[in-house]
Amino acid sequence: MSLFSSINQSAAALRASQMGLQVVGHNIANANTPGYIRQELELIPATTTRIGQVIVGQGVLPRGTRQVIDQALAERMWSASTAVSGGETLQAAYRELEDMVGGLDDTGLGSQLTKFNESLHNLANAPADPAARDLVLMQANALSGAINQAHSDTQAAKNRTNDQLPILAQTLNSLSSRIADLNIEIMVLEGGRSLSSDATGLRDERYKLLEEMAQIVDINVQEQSSGSVSVFVGGDYLISEANYREVYMAYNQATNGQEIRIKETDSPLKAKSGTIGAVQVARDEVFGSYLEELDTFAASLARIMNEVHSQGQGLEGHKRMVGTISVEPGVPLERAELSYEPQNGSFDVQVLDEQGQLVSSHQITVQNLGIVGDSTVNSIIQQIDDIDGVSARVNGDGKVELVADVDGLSFTFADDNSGFLAAAGLNTLFTGSSAQDLAVNDYLMENPHLLSVSKGGVGNDTDAIAELVDLVARPSDVLNGQSLQAWHQQKVATIAESVSLQRSSAEGHKDFYTTLQAQHLSITGVNLDEEAIKLIGYQRAFQASSRVISTASEMLDLLVSL
């Protein structure tokens, strides 16, 4: 081995130290750059050579620059980021629903239900007081309005949530396109991994984009031998090398909302978590489920109240009445499109004179046994039409219409154990069958004196109003043994519990993510003290290599001078 070999060996060491200084300087320069991943110079011993019986090293060779990263830890952190993003989205949705349902002011649903019941108490104490009747109708109108408003607010929140999906789909396409482009640039720069160095700047950018994508949707990232990454969502690939699958918005009839689909396969994007997954859950299970429950509550309120009110009497009889439900008159009751299916039973139609005295009472049979010959709306109407002094028909709007066709006569209803009157919308307090269309019957708003108070005849008793009082607090088969008030209180409590659980879950995910992020930063982040130590090490190695070259040069000069 010659002195020239020693000089060349040290020159290579100088170059390695220079490259090391450059990498350290690059790290220090990017110490505060968001998303920067620390780099290090990888050095390997040069190929050895044999001189006689001795094997001698040939110095050092820079093999490449590598990002310092724990890929398994990074993937765990991405997964935690997905959970945090989804958890915070759901927490916001539950909190918004809680604000709408809580009803801390006088306009809340629970408060209106209580005020309506109090107005019934007032009327029971003064059944002939016109002001008490007006108050009942006013509070009933306020209650139905509160339910309408709750539906409107929840539907608006559901629509706002649904409107986030197109923006998320567009963001996902933008991220996928850029990551696919970076895959190509990285493969070209790294030579398909034929080089030992990482395309660090491009990899940093791709890493940041993957982290951003992980917040939107739960992804599975797999790095290929070529240096590119493949990204999967729910088993379907979204990105593979230079190719990416575009997503688009489509209408889903089952959920009555939009969903994100993969354009190439026309299949739904199977997002279970992240912002996209949480938005879908918030729309369908948070706001959507409450809308369904609110419809159930509104329909139950109308049915429970109407079944009592429809068979009662006010201060006088009816001259003309039109049902509020459009029916199918010629088919069995189960298919007649009534508010609900009446039971097998009967109800009474009473004919009154000008003084409100009973002229005649007629029992109308309602047969619903599921056999041939069961009642239809037409057959029931015919029984009523056969009563002297009363005409009955199904009008052009498909609604049952009854008219007292003799001057001085009127009619009332009583003892309905079939539920037909309320199901057909006759003499009801409320109209509508959902939270959106629930309202007080216009017929009563125009004629408050017809509000049902008696059950044994006009002015004879107050049994009807007595039965209506506290009806909201009584268990009902319509709500599976719950009362209307208990149903509402349970929903408020359930939502409050869901908010608390979601808050705890979101905080837990956030704490876990923070822990993983700290571990990740301890590996990938730039430690200035550590870089300073490396800086001194490369400086000392540069000085020592320079001293070797200087010594070898002096020895060579001495040898030449001999």
Side-chain angles (χ1 to χ4, degrees):
M1 182 176 181
S2 66
L3 291 173
F4 288 107
S5 297
S6 297
I7 293 174
N8 289 334
Q9 183 184 77
S10 296
L14 287 176
R15 288 192 294 271
S17 296
Q18 289 175 334
M19 293 180 66
L21 287 172
Q22 184 174 356
V23 172
V24 170
H26 184 62
N27 285 339
I28 293 174
N30 288 280
N32 296 315
T33 302
Y36 177 75
I37 298 176
R38 178 169 60 92
Q39 301 175 20
E40 66 178 12
L41 178 65
E42 186 176 353
L43 301 174
I44 60 172
T47 305
T48 58
T49 185
R50 181 171 180 171
I51 304 175
Q53 298 299 315
V54 180
I55 298 176
V56 181
Q58 296 295 307
V60 66
L61 289 176
R63 184 176 180 180
T65 56
R66 292 281 189 183
Q67 290 180 316
V68 182
I69 185 172
D70 185 335
Q71 191 61 37
L73 178 61
E75 291 177 3
R76 290 177 64 200
M77 189 180 70
W78 290 340
S79 179
S81 174
T82 303
V84 169
S85 179
E88 290 178 344
T89 301
L90 274 179
Q91 183 181 354
Y94 274 115
R95 191 163 52 240
E96 182 177 4
L97 182 61
E98 183 184 36
D99 291 341
M100 291 188 295
V101 174
L104 298 179
D105 56 13
D106 290 341
T107 62
L109 181 55
S111 175
Q112 293 299 332
L113 201 60
T114 300
K115 288 181 178 181
F116 172 62
N117 191 47
E118 290 175 352
S119 70
L120 292 173
H121 274 278
N122 292 335
L123 181 59
N125 293 329
D129 185 359
R133 291 173 174 273
D134 291 340
L135 181 61
V136 168
L137 295 177
M138 182 181 71
Q139 293 298 344
N141 193 52
L143 174 59
S144 62
I147 295 174
N148 298 155
Q149 189 63 47
H151 177 277
S152 177
D153 292 344
T154 308
Q155 185 64 55
K158 180 181 179 181
N159 292 340
R160 286 195 302 271
T161 303
N162 189 62
D163 291 342
Q164 296 179 37
L165 288 176
I167 300 173
L168 292 170
Q170 184 178 358
T171 302
L172 190 59
N173 282 335
S174 177
L175 291 172
S176 299
S177 175
R178 182 55 186 153
I179 292 172
D181 291 341
L182 286 171
N183 277 344
I184 288 292
E185 295 177 37
I186 291 171
M187 286 191 293
V188 170
L189 191 59
E190 295 179 352
R193 280 320 229 166
S194 62
L195 300 179
S196 298
S197 292
D198 289 339
T200 51
L202 296 176
R203 283 178 171 267
D204 286 348
E205 183 182 354
R206 186 176 68 181
Y207 181 87
K208 288 175 62 179
L209 294 176
L210 288 171
E211 189 172 16
E212 186 177 346
M213 181 179 284
Q215 295 176 353
I216 297 175
V217 66
D218 44 317
I219 58 175
N220 177 17
V221 181
Q222 298 179 8
E223 183 166 350
Q224 307 301 315
S225 59
S226 61
S228 67
V229 293
S230 296
V231 179
F232 297 85
V233 177
D236 293 324
Y237 87 83
L238 204 60
I239 305 171
S240 178
E241 295 187 344
N243 302 314
Y244 77 95
R245 284 175 166 173
E246 188 176 354
V247 298
Y248 74 104
M249 298 305 305
Y251 177 76
N252 187 326
Q253 189 172 3
T255 61
N256 195 28
Q258 298 185 87
E259 69 176 359
I260 300 178
R261 302 180 71 88
I262 301 174
K263 182 176 290 187
E264 182 179 324
T265 61
D266 197 30
S267 59
L269 183 71
K270 300 174 183 177
K272 297 180 180 179
S273 188
T275 306
I276 290 178
V279 163
Q280 292 174 338
V281 170
R283 180 195 63 191
D284 300 333
E285 298 182 18
V286 178
F287 299 120
S289 293
Y290 183 69
L291 281 173
E292 293 177 359
E293 292 170 348
L294 202 58
D295 283 340
T296 299
F297 176 75
S300 300
L301 171 66
R303 179 173 178 177
I304 291 170
M305 291 293 170
N306 289 344
E307 284 186 340
V308 175
H309 188 276
S310 61
Q311 53 184 314
Q313 302 92 36
L315 298 179
E316 61 182 48
H318 306 283
K319 300 292 185 179
R320 177 177 178 271
M321 178 178 291
V322 179
T324 60
I325 306 296
S326 295
V327 300
E328 287 290 335
V331 298
L333 296 178
E334 62 180 8
R335 293 188 284 113
E337 298 186 4
L338 299 167
S339 294
Y340 55 89
E341 184 179 349
Q343 303 176 24
N344 191 67
S346 63
F347 63 90
D348 292 343
V349 176
Q350 300 172 337
V351 180
L352 312 178
D353 61 19
E354 291 186 64
Q355 286 73 40
Q357 298 300 312
L358 181 66
V359 174
S360 61
S361 180
H362 307 268
Q363 186 177 75
I364 307 300
T365 302
V366 179
Q367 179 175 308
N368 189 13
L369 300 174
I371 61 176
V372 176
D374 274 355
S375 298
T376 65
V377 173
N378 276 339
S379 67
I380 295 172
I381 293 302
Q382 185 59 52
Q383 293 182 65
I384 300 175
D385 192 59
D386 290 340
I387 299 173
D388 290 338
V390 179
S391 296
R393 68 187 182 106
V394 175
N395 64 19
D397 295 329
K399 298 177 180 179
V400 177
E401 181 178 354
L402 279 65
V403 177
D405 55 5
V406 176
D407 291 339
L409 295 184
S410 60
F411 60 89
T412 59
F413 303 103
D415 298 331
D416 183 8
N417 57 25
S418 68
F420 175 81
L421 294 173
L426 293 169
N427 197 29
T428 57
L429 176 58
F430 291 102
T431 63
S433 58
S434 69
Q436 185 176 14
D437 62 5
L438 184 71
V440 178
N441 196 333
D442 289 338
Y443 180 69
L444 288 179
M445 296 296 289
E446 296 169 0
N447 305 282
H449 55 283
L450 294 178
L451 184 68
S452 292
V453 172
S454 306
K455 293 192 73 174
V458 173
N460 288 345
D461 56 55
T462 58
D463 290 348
I465 191 63
E467 191 171 342
L468 287 171
V469 167
D470 292 332
L471 190 57
V472 297
R474 289 189 213 123
S476 171
D477 293 339
V478 177
L479 286 172
N480 298 319
Q482 279 188 307
S483 69
L484 292 165
Q485 284 184 334
W487 180 94
H488 177 259
Q489 292 167 357
Q490 181 188 22
K491 295 309 171 187
V492 172
T494 299
I495 292 171
E497 182 181 1
S498 297
V499 170
S500 178
L501 291 174
Q502 188 59 46
R503 183 187 300 114
S504 299
S505 176
E507 290 175 354
H509 287 310
K510 191 171 184 178
D511 290 342
F512 182 57
Y513 172 71
T514 302
T515 300
L516 293 177
Q517 190 178 43
Q519 295 177 8
H520 175 73
L521 288 175
S522 69
I523 297 173
T524 63
V526 176
N527 186 315
L528 293 178
D529 293 335
E530 184 179 340
E531 297 301 322
I533 293 172
K534 289 183 179 180
L535 190 66
I536 295 171
Y538 285 126
Q539 181 185 14
R540 293 288 184 264
F542 189 90
Q543 291 173 345
S545 298
S546 300
R547 184 60 181 164
V548 170
I549 293 175
S550 176
T551 301
S553 178
E554 291 175 3
M555 292 173 66
L556 186 60
D557 289 342
L558 179 60
L559 182 62
V560 171
S561 65
L562 293 177

